[in-house]
Amino acid sequence: MIGRLHALAIDCPDPDALAEFYGELLGLSVVQRSEHWVVIGEEWPQIAFQRAPGHRPPAWPDPERPQQMHLDVWVEDIEAAEARVLELGARKLGVSEDDPDDLFRVYADPAGHPFCLEYSA
């Protein structure tokens, strides 16, 4: 092992807004805030949101504007989780429910980054 994961940093146009979205989604609070950087999560790894002027959001699944990163989030109740993320500003991109061993739904966060809600095992 060379190192340990400290944080996942996500470029975005508005770090405060995206930190609020993911904080609500994952139950994590803001632990650091500056003009261009917001970090959520008391323990490591943390998620950091970095201001990126001129940010061009991904256009999943378009390879010309790839997803750049994504989070897979296990949920107990997919319908309730979907309703909540949509209320928080997410946008639904796709659904994969053909394989009973790999059930998930794909969304874009408010800055356009894809993430998946997965049925928990």
Side-chain angles (χ1 to χ4, degrees):
M1 176 176 75
I2 294 173
R4 294 177 294 137
L5 179 62
H6 172 229
L8 169 66
I10 302 172
D11 287 355
C12 59
D14 185 344
D16 288 302
L18 205 54
E20 183 178 322
F21 174 84
Y22 278 106
E24 185 71 23
L25 173 64
L26 301 171
L28 300 174
S29 58
V30 171
V31 295
Q32 180 184 354
R33 185 185 312 268
S34 69
E35 182 181 352
H36 299 287
W37 186 262
V38 179
V39 179
I40 61 172
E42 297 287 333
E43 298 179 18
W44 290 279
Q46 296 172 314
I47 304 174
F49 305 91
Q50 176 175 272
R51 186 175 316 283
H55 176 261
R56 285 186 40 170
W60 181 88
D62 181 356
E64 293 300 315
R65 289 178 46 202
Q67 59 184 325
Q68 302 169 10
M69 68 91 209
H70 78 272
L71 298 177
D72 292 331
V73 180
W74 282 342
V75 297
E76 296 293 324
D77 181 339
I78 193 84
E79 299 301 334
E82 177 176 288
R84 185 68 179 125
V85 299
L86 293 174
E87 179 182 298
L88 290 169
R91 182 171 41 92
K92 193 171 186 176
L93 298 176
V95 175
S96 176
E97 295 181 338
D98 297 330
D99 179 353
D101 294 324
D102 190 22
L103 303 173
F104 62 92
R105 297 179 185 176
V106 183
Y107 305 84
D109 69 24
H113 302 101
F115 69 96
C116 296
L117 296 180
E118 298 181 342
Y119 296 77
S120 65

